Each structure stands twice: as C-alpha cells, then as structure tokens.
Amino acid sequence: MAKLTFRGAIQSLSRGGDGIILTLLCSICLALATWNWLAVRTTLHSNVDARFDLRTTAATDKLAIALSVYRDTLHSALDRLAITPHPDEKAWGAYAQNMRLAERLPGLVTFARCERTGDTIARIAAYSVGNEVLLGPSGSLVMPSGTTTTGRAFTLTSPSTGRAYFVFLSDTSRPSICAYAVADIDALVHVAIGPLLHDITLTVNMPDSSGQSILVFDSLYPRAPGEPRPSVDYRSSARLPYADKPALLLRYTASDEFAALRGAGVANWTFGLGLGMTVVTMLACLLALLARRHGRGLSERDAPEKRRSESRLFSVIQSVREAIVTIDAQQRIQIFNPTAESVFRCSAMEAIGEPLARFIPERFRDAHYQHIERFGMTGVSERLMGRGRPLWGLRSDGEEFPMEASISQSADADGKFYTVVLRDVTEQRQIANALQTSRSELEKLNARLEAVREEEKLRVARELHDDLGQRLTALKMDTALLKRALGDQTSVSGDVRRIEQSIDGMVAAVRQMAADLRPPMLDDLGLGPAIEWYARDFTRRYGVAVDFTEAHSLPPIPAPVATALFRIVQEALNNVAKHARATSVTIELSCDRECRLRISDNGRGLPPTRPKPDSLGFISMRERARLLGGALEVRSPSEGGTVVSAVIPMETQAPADLPGA
C-alpha cells in the first residue's frame, strides 16, 4: 500500500477532478461568508435604529403617564374640595397620605390647596415631601402672565438653589378655589425614565409666557467645564401636552457608542467565522481524500478476511434453529435459512428474490411495510416486532400461524438490509390456550365446590337446628314430665336433674355447631349483625378483645358478597387464635359501590419464611375474593401485627354456582 502523506493527497487532487470540486467549495464558502457579513451588518443597523426608536417612544410614554397622573390627582383634589371646601392642614395632609401621593407622583415636593386672585395663588393648606422653596414663607406666588383658569403647567426656578421645578395648576371654573402640585424636574424625569437614559441623552424644553423655549432638563448636567457633548448619530424628538396645551419638547440623542453596545461588531465576527469555516472545510476535504485512499487500501487488504467472515456468518445462519430472513431496502428476500424453509414450507431457491409480503397475510401487509420503513428511519439497531399485538405469518400452502419476531438493521456499500429472526409459536399458543381453558374450568369447579360446601353447611345446620334440636326439646319435655311424676322421691330426683343438665348441654352444643356451620342471622339479619355475633362469640371463647366498626347503615349486600366477607372474617379470626398471640383485633367494614373489609391485630405478624404448603387459609380467602372480582391482601406493617384487607365490588356478577347467586 502506498505511503499516506499530505503530499500524496495534493497529488491526488491534481490528478482527478477533486481539485476543481475543492476550489468551487472554497469559493462558495467565501461567498456565503461575505453575504452573511453584509446581511448581519444590515440587520444589526436596522435593529439599532429600531431599538433607539423603541427606547425613546417608551421614555416619552412614561413621561406622558407621569404628567397624566399629576393632572388626574389634581382633578381628584378638586372633587375632594367640592365635598369639603375648607379642610385644615391636618385633614389635607391625611388626605394626601391616604392617596399615597408621595409614591404615585414622581418628584413630588408639595401638594397644596390654594386660592387664586388674578395671577396670584396663595397656599391655604399644604402637604410637603420636602421643603417648598417656590412660594416661600409668604405662601403666595405670582404666576406668569396670561395663565388661564384651565389646567396649566409652567416652570419656576428656585432663587436659592437654582433648581428648576414644575408647577401643575388644577382646572377650575371657580378661580378662587384651586389646587397645585410642585415637582422637582430632575427627580420627576429620573424616577419616571431614569433606567432608559443610561446610554442615550435627553433634553427637555418648555415654552415660557412669551412663547420662547427654555431648557429645563439636561441628562448630561452637571458635567465638567469644557467637556464636549457626545457626537450625535441618532436623534429623535417628541412633544408632550398638558391639559391639551403644549408643555414639553423632548429631544433624544445617542452616539456611536449606542450601536457598539448593541453588538455592531458581530458582523466582523460573523465574517471571521465564515473564513474559519472555509479553512475547516478545505482541511476536511483533504482528510476525506486521505481517508478514502486509506480505506481503499484497507479494503484491498481485508477483502480475503471479509470473505472468510461472510462464509463463517453464512454457516452460522444456516445452522441456527430459528428462522432467519434478510431483506433489502425494497423488502425483497436475500437470505432464507433452512429453518425458515421448514417454517414457511418453501425452499430458499423459491423464496430468495421474492417480496417479503408473500409470507405475510394480506390484511397485515401494508402495516408491516410501513413498520419496516419507520424502523429504518429510527436508526435503532434492533427491537422486538409486534409489541402489544400478535404477529402472523403465511406458509406457502396458505396456512396462517402465530409467531414471535425481532428485527435488526445494518448497512454496507450495497445499501441497507433488515434481518428478521422469527419463531413459530403455534405449539406455545396451543399450550397457553389449554392452560387458560384448564384454569377457567378449575375456577368453575372451585366455585361449584364452594357452593356445594355452603349448601351442605346450610343443610346440616338446618337439620341440627330443626330435627335434632326438636328431638332434644321433646326429650327435655319428657324429662320434665318424668320429674313431675316422680314427685319427691329423693333417690331418683338427682339423676333426673343430671339428665336435664346433659340435655341442656346437648342443646347448646347443637346450636353452637349449627351457628358455626352457618349462622342463621347471616341470612336473616345480614352481614353486620352476623360479624358482630361472631366477634362476641370469639371473645368469649379465646379471651381476645374484638372491636367491630361498621358503617352506621350498610346498604343491602348481595348474598354471595356477604357470605364471602363473613368467611374471610372467620378464617382471619381463626388464624389470630392459632398463630397471632394477639390481645386485640379490630374489624372495619364499609360498603358503597364496593365493600372494604380490614382486619388488623396486635400480634406477632407474619412469619419471615413462607407458610407451609398445607396452609390453605390465606389461599382460600384470596380465592373467595377473586371469584367475586375482588382482591385480598395480607401484610405485616412495620409497627407489628397483621393486616388483612379485602375489597369486593358490590355490583359484581357472581358465578352462577356460588350460594345466593
């Protein structure tokens, strides 16, 4: 293989058409870089102009709002004076504080009630944030000549400090009653629009009584003597009226620094980046040429090894026990191993070159074709097919069969290929169906056995109560007659009493056996009284306190549900008596759309090991709940004891063989 060098790459460029392609590519990159530079520069200039206009418009709007707030506040003050014409200093100050004028009016110095005589206004009651310097101790001011009785704003300068102030005079049709507000111009502007002036300048002019425009605010003031003003590259002006009369003339200016702060140098960076990308592209092309030469050499060297690997891979594919089918991008079969021949009952010679759709049922062909196309676009190397739905194949004789399959994709110089590994699961489906059928039959048998058991318990309980109980009652009556007939014969009266006691014990035992088999009150009074009776009897037998909590009024409970819940309570309490070593048990029962039963004890809890194989108590409880569409859980909480929880739907359709169904 030839030595791979940079000089060799250059020679390759000169021998072929790659040099022309590289030159064209370099020219295109330079042209794109220049075009991007011009476009970015033009866009940035437009953005700077738009940002300057937006900033000045926002500042003008905020100043207009500040003037409107002053005028609205003076209108409100006149309305207040119409209600209370002569408020004193204290009442006027309380009104101003309640209106929060110091917060609402930017730059406010004084807010006062006044009386007007001609061009003179006199302060009557005032609320001052700072020291008012305009009206002074005399409390009066001569307004500029020509001030009308309608609202007016004019400027005055403090003789002591030289600071300029706005004086806002209220509208009134009664000149003798008025209100005015004094605002510090610098404070008003900086509070209203100060953040907007950090990189632009503003001057505010206001006409005087003679119509001449005088400067009342300069954002550059104060500045060092002799310091020149910044150059003006952007300018804008606006007029603000007050009470429908010209009041303020605003002039905004900005220098080139405004544009520099907004990233005007980005265009140069963009051009530099374009040049850098051009250099990188050229280097990438050179590296691609070197890699191509290197790859060609490797291909020539590795061709025999590749053929040997393909031969080994083909041997593995032929010997694997699962069907393997490889298709190309047009979904035509390229590989069809012997197992696939057996599964589809078709030889490889017949299958190779045929479309894959030949072995897919017609109703699934479109969906399968789209599935493979989507899989090819994902870039995932391998995944299962048919998740959530069965897959079906078609044998050459027309028979359909279920299958499981996974698909993988690979690509080489000849294009993209998809390999499907599949398995015929007909036998597994048959086994699964047989198991399901067997399970269903076992469930029916279990339901029938439960029904027979309950019916037998009910029959035996009734026979014990009705037949044997009646016979014992008759025997007791005969004993009473015998006792009466014997009279006072002391020798046999003791034997008769013992017989009576034995009969009473037999009657109690018969009643207990009948109740244990199936308590009559379960059918007569319902589930709640039956559990309450059984809890009292359990406490009497084993000395374990049982607290039964039920809903105050249980709805009618279907007989199968009531029987199942009662048997679960019986089995749970039997387990408590045998294994729990508990001193108290709590039973909670509530029913609405479903019955919820909870039995908890303070015993030693479940054993750490699994229960014995012949421990069928938990299994029987779970099966009773499951047959009615419910669920049962047995657990040991961290605080100790055992909790049995059962939930059974009220509207469940019980199997026909269950008692009460």
Side-chain angles (χ1 to χ4, degrees):
M1 186 179 65
K3 187 177 180 180
L4 191 62
T5 61
F6 182 79
R7 182 178 179 182
I10 298 299
Q11 291 176 352
S12 298
L13 284 174
S14 62
R15 286 197 299 268
D18 294 333
I20 299 175
I21 295 175
L22 185 61
T23 302
L24 289 175
L25 185 60
C26 180
S27 301
I28 292 173
C29 290
L30 287 174
L32 287 175
T34 305
W35 181 82
N36 284 335
W37 174 71
L38 292 174
V40 171
R41 185 178 179 184
T42 302
T43 302
L44 285 174
H45 279 247
S46 299
N47 288 342
V48 170
D49 293 339
R51 190 178 295 273
F52 180 76
D53 292 339
L54 182 64
R55 181 79 65 79
T56 56
T57 301
T60 303
D61 292 342
K62 287 182 176 293
L63 283 176
I65 292 173
L67 296 184
S68 298
V69 171
Y70 268 95
R71 189 180 183 199
D72 293 342
T73 303
L74 291 174
H75 275 300
S76 300
L78 287 181
D79 294 338
R80 176 75 177 184
L81 292 174
I83 299 173
T84 308
H86 304 290
D88 56 12
E89 192 86 17
K90 183 177 180 180
W92 185 258
Y95 167 72
Q97 291 177 357
N98 291 337
M99 295 293 290
R100 301 173 64 186
L101 298 185
E103 300 176 14
R104 293 174 51 211
L105 301 178
L108 178 67
V109 175
T110 299
F111 179 74
R113 178 176 76 88
C114 60
E115 291 183 356
R116 178 172 174 179
T117 305
D119 290 336
T120 302
I121 57 174
R123 180 177 62 234
I124 305 301
Y127 168 76
S128 296
V129 177
N131 295 323
E132 182 180 299
V133 296
L134 299 181
L135 272 64
S138 63
S140 63
L141 172 70
V142 178
M143 296 180 295
S145 60
T147 303
T148 61
T149 58
T150 58
R152 174 74 184 273
F154 53 90
T155 60
L156 291 176
T157 303
S158 171
S160 58
T161 63
R163 294 180 65 88
Y165 293 87
F166 279 136
V167 179
F168 299 96
L169 189 61
S170 63
D171 295 341
T172 178
S173 58
R174 299 164 57 193
S176 60
I177 299 177
C178 62
Y180 70 89
V182 179
D184 187 304
I185 296 178
D186 286 347
L188 187 151
V189 175
H190 282 101
V191 171
I193 61 172
L196 300 175
L197 300 178
H198 66 278
D199 51 5
I200 62 176
T201 61
L202 168 65
T203 59
V204 180
N205 291 67
M206 189 171 185
D208 58 8
S209 58
S210 62
Q212 296 294 325
S213 179
I214 59 174
L215 180 67
V216 296
F217 174 82
D218 188 347
S219 61
L220 296 179
Y221 179 83
R223 66 179 186 272
E227 179 183 355
R229 296 184 69 88
S231 61
V232 177
D233 297 285
Y234 301 91
R235 67 177 70 245
S236 176
S237 61
R239 291 184 180 274
L240 284 181
Y242 182 82
D244 299 329
K245 294 181 289 294
L248 302 179
L249 174 62
L250 311 178
R251 290 190 176 91
Y252 302 94
T253 59
S255 63
D256 278 339
E257 293 182 358
F258 182 80
L261 292 174
R262 294 301 178 268
V266 175
N268 297 330
W269 281 102
T270 303
F271 185 69
L273 181 61
L275 293 178
M277 291 181 63
T278 302
V279 175
V280 171
T281 303
M282 294 178 64
L283 292 176
C285 288
L286 290 175
L287 291 175
L289 290 174
L290 295 174
R292 187 172 65 178
R293 291 189 62 192
H294 182 64
R296 187 182 298 116
L298 289 177
S299 299
E300 294 174 355
R301 185 186 64 184
D302 297 338
E305 183 65 25
K306 181 179 180 182
R307 284 193 293 270
R308 286 193 295 270
S309 299
E310 289 177 350
S311 178
R312 288 194 294 268
L313 178 61
F314 184 75
S315 299
V316 171
I317 291 175
Q318 293 297 105
S319 61
V320 78
R321 299 186 59 183
E322 293 179 341
I324 297 179
V325 180
T326 299
I327 60 175
D328 58 14
Q330 288 73 38
Q331 300 196 18
R332 293 191 174 275
I333 298 174
Q334 304 298 316
I335 297 177
F336 203 76
N337 73 340
T339 307
E341 293 179 340
S342 176
V343 169
F344 290 101
R345 300 171 187 171
C346 178
S347 65
M349 294 184 62
E350 296 178 7
I352 293 177
E354 292 292 317
L356 182 63
R358 173 180 174 180
F359 300 104
I360 300 173
E362 185 176 357
R363 62 184 182 279
F364 299 124
R365 289 174 183 171
D366 291 340
H368 183 79
Y369 183 82
Q370 296 173 5
H371 169 76
I372 293 182
E373 279 196 338
R374 289 195 299 269
F375 174 70
M377 292 186 291
T378 60
V380 179
S381 59
E382 183 179 359
R383 73 178 179 190
L384 294 175
M385 299 180 66
R387 290 180 178 176
R389 62 182 186 276
L391 291 175
W392 291 89
L394 180 66
R395 307 188 204 274
S396 61
D397 56 5
E399 178 187 351
E400 295 186 5
F401 65 95
M403 64 181 183
E404 294 177 351
S406 62
I407 185 172
S408 61
Q409 60 177 322
S410 60
D412 57 16
D414 297 328
K416 184 174 287 190
F417 294 90
Y418 304 93
T419 298
V420 180
V421 180
L422 58 93
R423 182 185 300 110
D424 185 354
V425 294
T426 302
E427 185 176 353
Q428 290 89 326
R429 288 288 180 89
Q430 292 173 350
I431 294 173
N433 292 336
L435 287 175
Q436 183 62 33
T437 302
S438 176
R439 180 181 179 86
S440 178
E441 292 174 350
L442 286 175
E443 289 180 353
K444 292 180 180 179
L445 176 61
N446 187 31
R448 181 57 186 164
L449 290 177
E450 289 292 336
V452 170
R453 187 180 297 120
E454 291 294 333
E455 291 173 358
E456 187 65 17
K457 287 181 179 180
L458 181 60
R459 185 187 65 80
V460 173
R462 286 177 178 173
E463 288 185 356
L464 286 175
H465 183 272
D466 297 341
D467 188 6
L468 188 55
Q470 291 176 3
R471 292 175 183 270
L472 289 174
T473 302
L475 183 59
K476 185 174 181 180
M477 293 173 62
D478 292 341
T479 305
L481 293 175
L482 177 61
K483 182 178 179 181
R484 185 182 301 173
L486 292 175
D488 297 332
Q489 297 182 20
T490 309
S491 58
V492 295
S493 61
D495 295 332
V496 173
R497 282 195 299 273
R498 283 194 297 274
I499 293 173
E500 284 182 330
Q501 292 174 357
S502 298
I503 293 173
D504 290 339
M506 293 174 64
V507 170
V510 168
R511 289 177 178 174
Q512 185 64 47
M513 285 187 290
D516 289 341
L517 287 171
R518 186 176 179 88
M521 62 183 61
L522 180 60
D523 300 312
D524 299 336
L525 301 180
L527 177 60
I531 295 178
E532 187 176 1
W533 165 81
Y534 190 79
R536 288 199 303 268
D537 185 68
F538 182 82
T539 301
R540 178 181 59 80
R541 288 188 189 182
Y542 301 102
V544 178
V546 180
D547 181 18
F548 175 46
T549 303
E550 63 170 330
H552 294 293
S553 58
L554 289 175
I557 302 175
V561 177
T563 300
L565 292 174
F566 182 79
R567 295 304 183 194
I568 291 173
V569 171
Q570 273 188 317
E571 186 62 38
L573 291 182
N574 288 339
N575 289 336
V576 170
K578 292 178 182 178
H579 312 292
R581 298 179 185 175
T583 59
S584 66
V585 180
T586 301
I587 304 175
E588 302 174 13
L589 175 64
S590 62
C591 295
D592 39 39
R593 293 185 177 179
E594 57 187 14
C595 285
R596 292 172 293 277
L597 175 65
R598 187 177 187 273
I599 307 167
S600 58
D601 62 65
N602 63 347
R604 59 181 181 177
L606 295 175
T609 59
R610 299 184 64 182
K612 298 179 180 179
D614 57 351
S615 299
L616 301 178
F618 289 159
I619 297 176
S620 66
M621 289 191 292
R622 287 195 181 97
E623 189 65 17
R624 287 182 182 275
R626 192 183 63 80
L627 286 174
L628 294 172
L632 183 136
E633 178 189 13
V634 182
R635 60 184 178 88
S636 288
S638 58
E639 60 269 17
T642 304
V643 177
V644 179
S645 302
V647 179
I648 300 178
M650 286 278 284
E651 299 179 359
T652 182
Q653 293 295 327
D657 293 329
L658 283 179

